[in-house]
Amino acid sequence: KDLVDFALNSLGLGQVIDTIQALGTNYWNQIKQIATQLLFAGQQIWQQATVIFQQLVADLQNHATDALPLVVQAISQLTALVGQSGKRDLVDFALNSLGLGQVIDTIQALGTNYWNQIKQIATQLLFAGQQIWQQATVIFQQLVADLQNHATDALPLVVQAISQLTALVGQSGKRDLVDFALNSLGLGQVIDTIQALGTNYWNQIKQIATQLLFAGQQIWQQATVIFQQLVADLQNHATDALPLVVQAISQLTALVGQSGKRDLVDFALNSLGLGQVIDTIQALGTNYWNQIKQIATQLLFAGQQIWQQATVIFQQLVADLQNHATDALPLVVQAISQLTA
């Protein structure tokens, strides 16, 4: 289940999806696009958007036959709201990673429907696995070359690419954001070495890698240099891995701290209601805290049913920690065990 499903369900749109889809793919794609962007737009923007979506759901349930003007009005309000957030979102990251920056104007000139489909596919590819991503990159490279040589014949070229990419995305089992981040940063070849140092260091590396996806292009590039050095060092000095990994974590933590971004982890923790017991869990040490953050992030992609079951466990944990803060350790260990299962 991908990020789009999670966003739509979190915003309460599940009960009016059919009504919006009946208006056509253009409006539906715009709603999905906005919902995904909102995940990275900050708590304040998210709350304002939730009010607009709640009103839309109520209006659509009462006036389903007049759905079009209601949806158009909501899209207009939400587009303005997302525009205020000034966030670099997952879509920008995907488009830039696939090399589409130089032909965006050409595709946009064909209309919002085609542009929205390209953005949607690009975002889905982030979670489709390395093999699918590489095949898609070839298709996008060909599209960019073709559009630069035949811009006046753009429409059939884009339609053909969308068709190929849609089929490709459909093949993929979903993979999560952490895998994508680790592979994009070139860590695949030293994973075993880092994991051998223990879950604490491995969790920190995964945490940093995920945060970097939302930290902006400049921070990402600086981090890539640090990771490339780490990979080279680990391949040459695997027996001295610990000080190399500790040094890299230190440099990367400082770098991520500069970015000032609210990342997916914050969003997950807040959505699960953990904000009020963070200090208590952190006081138990980085190992337990990293495990909680890791689980919270994974839950974003685990489906609505798993999310709801996890929410019950987290609500119980929060209640227990507020009543028995001095006995926090066994409570957190028990919750981690239940959530990991």
Side-chain angles (χ1 to χ4, degrees), residues 123-314:
T123 311
Q124 289 174 312
L125 284 167
L126 289 178
F127 309 96
Q130 193 68 12
Q131 189 177 358
I132 301 286
W133 175 271
Q134 288 169 340
Q135 292 175 56
T137 301
V138 174
I139 298 171
F140 275 117
Q141 286 170 340
Q142 187 61 53
L143 175 62
V144 169
D146 290 343
L147 288 177
Q148 289 175 322
N149 295 326
H150 311 285
T152 53
D153 299 321
L155 184 57
L157 298 171
V158 171
V159 168
Q160 180 187 23
I162 287 173
S163 172
Q164 293 172 310
L165 291 160
T166 302
L168 188 62
V169 168
Q171 297 168 19
S172 70
K174 294 282 174 180
R175 81 200 247 276
D176 77 353
L177 208 58
V178 180
D179 290 340
F180 174 76
L182 294 171
N183 286 326
S184 300
L185 292 161
L187 287 177
Q189 50 205 320
V190 294
I191 284 177
D192 291 343
T193 308
I194 303 173
Q195 285 179 328
L197 301 175
T199 56
N200 187 14
Y201 298 106
W202 178 232
N203 282 336
Q204 286 183 70
I205 290 287
K206 289 192 291 185
Q207 186 64 32
I208 289 165
T210 313
Q211 289 173 313
L212 285 167
L213 288 177
F214 309 98
Q217 194 69 14
Q218 188 177 358
I219 301 286
W220 175 270
Q221 288 168 340
Q222 291 175 57
T224 301
V225 174
I226 298 171
F227 275 116
Q228 286 170 341
Q229 186 62 52
L230 175 63
V231 170
D233 289 343
L234 288 176
Q235 289 175 322
N236 294 326
H237 311 284
T239 53
D240 300 321
L242 184 57
L244 297 171
V245 171
V246 169
Q247 180 186 25
I249 287 172
S250 173
Q251 293 171 311
L252 291 160
T253 302
L255 188 62
V256 168
Q258 296 169 21
S259 71
K261 293 278 174 174
R262 167 181 167 277
D263 75 348
L264 206 58
V265 181
D266 290 340
F267 175 77
L269 293 171
N270 287 328
S271 300
L272 292 162
L274 286 177
Q276 51 206 321
V277 294
I278 284 177
D279 291 344
T280 309
I281 302 173
Q282 285 179 328
L284 301 176
T286 55
N287 188 16
Y288 297 107
W289 178 233
N290 281 334
Q291 287 183 69
I292 290 288
K293 288 192 292 185
Q294 188 63 32
I295 290 166
T297 312
Q298 289 174 316
L299 285 168
L300 288 178
F301 308 96
Q304 192 69 11
Q305 189 177 357
I306 301 286
W307 175 270
Q308 287 169 339
Q309 292 174 49
T311 301
V312 175
I313 297 171
F314 275 117

Side-chain angles (χ1 to χ4, degrees), residues 86-141:
K87 292 276 174 174
R88 167 181 168 276
D89 75 348
L90 207 59
V91 181
D92 290 340
F93 175 77
L95 294 171
N96 287 327
S97 300
L98 293 162
L100 286 178
Q102 51 205 320
V103 294
I104 284 177
D105 291 344
T106 307
I107 303 173
Q108 286 179 328
L110 301 176
T112 54
N113 188 16
Y114 298 107
W115 178 232
N116 281 335
Q117 287 182 69
I118 289 288
K119 287 192 292 185
Q120 188 64 31
I121 289 165
T123 311
Q124 289 174 312
L125 284 167
L126 289 178
F127 309 96
Q130 193 68 12
Q131 189 177 358
I132 301 286
W133 175 271
Q134 288 169 340
Q135 292 175 56
T137 301
V138 174
I139 298 171
F140 275 117
Q141 286 170 340

